[in-house]
Amino acid sequence: MLTTVLRLGFVQLRVLDLSAALVHYRDHMGLDLVNVEGGRAYLKAYDEFDRHSVVLREADTVGIDIMAFKLVSDQAVRDMIPELEKRGVTFEFIEKGEQPGVGERLRVHMPTGHQFDFYSEMALSDDGPMVKNPELWRNEPKGMRIVRYDHCALLGDEIDASAEILIGILGFSIAERVLDPEGNNIALFLSCSNKAHDVAFLKAPVKGKLHHASFLVESWSDIGHAANLMARRDIKIDIGPTRHGITRGQTIYFFDPSGNRNETFAGGYHFYPDNPTRVWTIDNFGKGLFYYEQEVVESFVGVYT
Amino acid sequence: MLTTVLRLGFVQLRVLDLSAALVHYRDHMGLDLVNVEGGRAYLKAYDEFDRHSVVLREADTVGIDIMAFKLVSDQAVRDMIPELEKRGVTFEFIEKGEQPGVGERLRVHMPTGHQFDFYSEMALSDDGPMVKNPELWRNEPKGMRIVRYDHCALLGDEIDASAEILIGILGFSIAERVLDPEGNNIALFLSCSNKAHDVAFLKAPVKGKLHHASFLVESWSDIGHAANLMARRDIKIDIGPTRHGITRGQTIYFFDPSGNRNETFAGGYHFYPDNPTRVWTIDNFGKGLFYYEQEVVESFVGVYT
Amino acid sequence: MLTTVLRLGFVQLRVLDLSAALVHYRDHMGLDLVNVEGGRAYLKAYDEFDRHSVVLREADTVGIDIMAFKLVSDQAVRDMIPELEKRGVTFEFIEKGEQPGVGERLRVHMPTGHQFDFYSEMALSDDGPMVKNPELWRNEPKGMRIVRYDHCALLGDEIDASAEILIGILGFSIAERVLDPEGNNIALFLSCSNKAHDVAFLKAPVKGKLHHASFLVESWSDIGHAANLMARRDIKIDIGPTRHGITRGQTIYFFDPSGNRNETFAGGYHFYPDNPTRVWTIDNFGKGLFYYEQEVVESFVGVYT
Amino acid sequence: MLTTVLRLGFVQLRVLDLSAALVHYRDHMGLDLVNVEGGRAYLKAYDEFDRHSVVLREADTVGIDIMAFKLVSDQAVRDMIPELEKRGVTFEFIEKGEQPGVGERLRVHMPTGHQFDFYSEMALSDDGPMVKNPELWRNEPKGMRIVRYDHCALLGDEIDASAEILIGILGFSIAERVLDPEGNNIALFLSCSNKAHDVAFLKAPVKGKLHHASFLVESWSDIGHAANLMARRDIKIDIGPTRHGITRGQTIYFFDPSGNRNETFAGGYHFYPDNPTRVWTIDNFGKGLFYYEQEVVESFVGVYT
């Protein structure tokens, strides 16, 4: 089944203090601020064409509001409806313009308690990558030199059901899975692209939680640079620089001022839908999480927003 | 239009001396030799699941025999036929087993004089990436640390016609194009994935020629390593280490013992089908080719096999 | 005062099982084995001219036997004697040939309980760096791609007294120091070169202990490579990849099969004797040790051989 | 013979337009501007303790005014005088304060026509590396991320005579030499540190010419970054990124707006005075100059200021 998803489009996160969040996401991470309106800040990375990929909403709670995917066409969005109805999955439409520059979105209430939005229209940024005799970049990447918003890992209970929607309706593939001794999935890494994952579900007896929002950097060198900058600017590193066994990504985890976990991510293999699914058993989960440490770090698993 | 192409699957090159070619592709580049049979050597890179991705055929001439793409299904291959017939494009079927482990292939005789094969079956390698509690790699990558076969650049006259087949029948996108002063395409960079290009066509008054076959390495660091190794082992470097404006890839060009041009390639942006096409004008072609040198190197453009 | 020390020349470590140690130091770390004789294995890194820089002695205990420095001349060695006598420091002579290829050594029994040898003669390796129209290296560096033996960190009680010998007699400089709240030195980083440190003393109520023996790799990229290889080959990583505040070095700590701690080290600033001494207060020691983690890791401080 | 040289301290270059030069050295290369006075701009790199390391003097001609070395003491400077007199080498004293913050300098008129200054006093920068619980850097390195001024290569006729002064009076070592078929030196690479070279002399029938002034960057990654930035900002690259056989340094050559050649340099081995001198024969000079290209580039050899 061919996926109709163009890409993971944007994430909307809740932050306690928008000003402090902008210092983090704009000044430290180096995202470009597009605009602030209605209590939300819109940002993008230097290598993204669309208007925005990160939305920060000031709120009294932290965590994730929306994980949003851009589909190839409005028809592809509409084609989801009978399939959702067949499965008894709740959905609604979010009107065009609820976010500046974004068309109508189909909001799906996922069994894990997350809101996934699907849309086909977003305005192009007027500050995206150059297209006429393009330079590498308009301006040298700054801060942590984030290339793009990359993926999210989400915590919830019904991870198989959420995954089935993405797989059965939209053609996602399972790149990797982690099994408990009974053979149940306790973590699923799903791809709708040539990335090792676009979204991961981690099983936990909660609804709608965020484990981390991840951002691509170019290389292990830039992972090192990001670590230097985090330490220099007193950004709390959760773990890293290290490497995942799962996805093979090189990584640092750290927190935004509201306590949402972020990741800078590099490397990771190139995935194709016909690749065999990589399977991890629970006794090797430590190595899967952190290939160098080879152990499950409790604070990493237990802390989320 | 959704592409039914899983990926660029393999290339078959002609070499004058198979033994010398194996020293180059296996020992220097670090590809794994799968087997040799019927005058052909089959190889693969460490991060590829399928049985082989590079075929070297001993012959009296050099150049490229086949550029082959794996499609999602046999049906997807058969669906090409009416479209080819509509366009009057010649094609034939190559029987299953003509290459070991490969199913039936639909061979299309492209207007540029190249043979493009389309297939949906290839045996999995028994030495591909690990899938159960996988390590980063079975063995540390060796030689130039090639990750995978990446793309080819081809020379021919009817580049628009060849591109139209890929675009119109298979859903390829034009990631970048180079225009002459009259607005004609003189180079087209086509993607059927999230790669900046899977195949490039360069306009020249010839038929069926190869400009280069390209192989992915992980990073600029590994580009440096490859350059060290080429110089140490007296492999003639054509140009590089340098960087392309087009695709933004970091690169070294060099030659195999038969004179076929190879490339080690890293970086390059992530492409999505809705990205605006990057357009280069002829006066900026030098910068597009080699971003650091900013000039067209005649020997680079004029030498091919 | 000009230093008469050419460089840190070699280290002799005790290991419980020489065969297992060779798998570690030769096969995993990638040092060249020079020879084995008299229960000792002699090794060197690819970029060292002298015959050997690492000596492994099979013994019933682990730890460090000798830290040895090459001086500019035999006279420079002899000039140490009156200064040692003035300070009441015990010394003796080790005869030429006690190690193959090494001339007479002046052995100083340091107040911290360590044996420091000083010598001026060692045979050149016949497998050292090329000198006539030299290639980068004879063979591509293998294993962890160790460039050279770099430094040791030693634990002992009388660190000021040991440091004074190196400073007062041999012209070492204090590059960095860590102070307790009373202003006493609890760690001293001493340089006799343009390296940030050639030897470090860490204060502890013990005699003659080794904290770690460190080996240079070329870059942060090679730190990442070393981490990959350690994890792949089940070498226990103690901590890292990370970075020191002290010396700014990029690092991984790990253990040899006998439990001696090793380090792969890269980066670090260039030191000159007129540089101001960097001073750390105890409350910042965590950041000094591990700039990214910013905390003292107890197992790191408390485990030694 | 122990060298009394602490390090290569500063270079004074002539530029045609000081404003344009500041855009280049400060904004593009990323050096810190210390001050401008008396028609000269004083700059330093982020990792240097002394007040300045680069002096740009606006003049009607381009090239090099002064290559200056810091010695361990005023006495060490004075000790040079009888040796200079013995050799009949012309010298003079430049009074303290001729450059802000710099003590009296002994100026030696070298046989190759260059002015070499020797001094023991320079004020510390108040913006040098931190020394109390130091961070990696005060601010993230900018522009080309230059770590320090590294070396110069100079053109002149009497290179043996100039070298003899440095070797015979100051204890420099010859790290590498290039010989013509008659066994005469045509290039000499001299070190007074653990660097592969602090100054190089290239034989040419001229007096007092500059081939290039070189600046250290941290790694091959930063060489790549510098190349990106040069191309983005239309700084003419002469050659590179590439690598030297001689010194093994990774390099890019480029020009300042006045036409003085600059280099960003990384890598290079660690030199010790007892290392055998590496010797190149003229037939391998191409590989010595550019290890990847393996050929002498005429414009590189023939263009200087």
Side-chain angles (χ1 to χ4, degrees), chain B residues 205-217:
Chain B
V206 294
K207 286 282 184 198
K209 293 298 182 184
L210 172 72
H211 188 270
H212 66 264
S214 182
F215 298 85
L216 188 75
V217 296

Side-chain angles (χ1 to χ4, degrees), chain A residues 31-105:
Chain A
L31 299 175
D32 293 319
L33 177 62
V34 181
N35 75 319
V36 180
E37 67 179 73
R40 285 185 286 186
Y42 297 86
L43 302 101
K44 71 178 284 294
Y46 79 87
D47 210 26
E48 295 173 318
F49 279 102
D50 282 350
R51 186 190 183 277
H52 59 257
S53 60
V54 176
V55 186
L56 305 173
R57 181 170 73 85
E58 197 168 61
D60 293 334
T61 61
V62 296
I64 185 167
D65 277 342
I66 310 162
M67 178 104 172
F69 293 86
K70 190 177 190 184
L71 268 53
V72 293
S73 66
D74 182 58
Q75 188 57 50
V77 177
R78 304 217 162 264
D79 286 346
M80 295 177 64
I81 296 175
E83 293 291 331
L84 292 167
E85 287 172 336
K86 184 162 47 174
R87 287 164 175 82
V89 178
T90 317
F91 61 88
E92 65 192 298
F93 279 92
I94 306 300
E95 66 184 343
K96 179 181 170 104
E98 191 274 339
Q99 288 191 3
V102 183
E104 188 184 53
R105 283 131 58 196

Side-chain angles (χ1 to χ4, degrees), chain C residues 197-219:
Chain C
H197 59 342
D198 289 284
V199 57
F201 289 108
L202 312 175
K203 188 163 189 159
V206 295
K207 286 283 183 197
K209 294 298 183 185
L210 172 71
H211 188 271
H212 65 264
S214 184
F215 297 85
L216 188 75
V217 296
E218 197 172 284
S219 64

Side-chain angles (χ1 to χ4, degrees), chain C residues 67-122:
Chain C
M67 178 104 171
F69 293 86
K70 189 177 190 184
L71 268 53
V72 292
S73 64
D74 182 58
Q75 187 57 49
V77 177
R78 304 214 162 266
D79 287 346
M80 294 177 64
I81 295 175
E83 294 292 330
L84 291 167
E85 288 172 336
K86 184 163 48 174
R87 285 164 177 83
V89 178
T90 316
F91 60 88
E92 65 192 297
F93 277 92
I94 306 300
E95 65 184 342
K96 179 180 168 104
E98 192 273 340
Q99 287 191 2
V102 182
E104 188 184 51
R105 283 130 59 196
L106 172 63
R107 174 161 300 166
V108 177
H109 296 276
M110 302 287 278
T112 41
H114 300 94
Q115 298 187 125
F116 275 40
D117 286 6
F118 301 91
Y119 64 100
S120 62
E121 284 180 54
M122 187 185 287

Side-chain angles (χ1 to χ4, degrees), chain C residues 268-289:
Chain C
Y269 52 79
H270 300 85
F271 177 77
Y272 294 98
D274 66 331
N275 285 174
T277 295
R278 278 129 160 131
V279 179
W280 296 82
T281 50
I282 191 74
D283 52 311
N284 278 271
F285 190 34
K287 188 167 84 173
L289 275 182

Side-chain angles (χ1 to χ4, degrees), chain A residues 15-27 56 256-258:
Chain A
V15 297
L16 300 177
D17 178 329
L18 196 51
S19 300
L22 284 179
V23 170
H24 179 83
Y25 287 92
R26 179 193 54 198
D27 301 340
L56 305 173
D256 78 8
S258 300

Side-chain angles (χ1 to χ4, degrees), chain C residues 2-8 46-47 49-50 70 72 124 129-137 147-148 176 192-195 198 216 218-219 221 243-245 248 250 269-270 272-285 287 291-292 294, chain D residues 2-8 46-47 49-50 70 72 124 129-137 147-148 176 192-195 198 216 218-219 221 243-245 248 250 269-270 272-285 287 291-292 294:
Chain C
L2 302 182
T3 182
T4 53
V5 181
L6 273 170
R7 75 182 147 271
L8 178 55
Y46 78 87
D47 211 25
F49 279 102
D50 283 351
K70 189 177 190 184
V72 292
L124 280 179
M130 297 171 70
V131 294
K132 175 134 193 226
N133 297 320
E135 302 286 345
L136 294 183
W137 9 257
V147 178
R148 67 160 187 240
E176 309 209 23
C192 58
S193 66
N194 295 141
K195 292 155 60 184
D198 289 284
L216 188 75
E218 197 172 284
S219 64
S221 285
R243 190 163 194 176
H244 298 298
R248 296 202 318 234
Q250 296 152 329
Y269 52 79
H270 300 85
Y272 294 98
D274 66 331
N275 285 174
T277 295
R278 278 129 160 131
V279 179
W280 296 82
T281 50
I282 191 74
D283 52 311
N284 278 271
F285 190 34
K287 188 167 84 173
Y291 192 69
Y292 298 153
Q294 310 217 350
Chain D
L2 302 181
T3 181
T4 54
V5 181
L6 274 171
R7 76 181 147 273
L8 179 55
Y46 78 87
D47 211 24
F49 278 102
D50 282 350
K70 190 178 190 184
V72 291
L124 281 178
M130 296 171 71
V131 293
K132 175 136 191 222
N133 297 321
E135 303 286 346
L136 295 183
W137 8 257
V147 177
R148 66 161 187 239
E176 309 208 23
C192 58
S193 66
N194 294 141
K195 292 154 61 183
D198 289 284
L216 187 75
E218 198 173 283
S219 64
S221 285
R243 189 163 195 175
H244 298 298
R248 295 201 320 235
Q250 297 152 328
Y269 53 79
H270 300 85
Y272 294 98
D274 66 331
N275 286 173
T277 295
R278 279 130 160 129
V279 179
W280 295 82
T281 49
I282 192 72
D283 52 311
N284 278 271
F285 190 33
K287 189 168 82 172
Y291 192 69
Y292 298 153
Q294 308 216 351

Side-chain angles (χ1 to χ4, degrees), chain C residues 259-270:
Chain C
N260 294 305
R261 188 186 279 104
N262 294 152
E263 181 185 32
T264 49
F265 182 89
Y269 52 79
H270 300 85

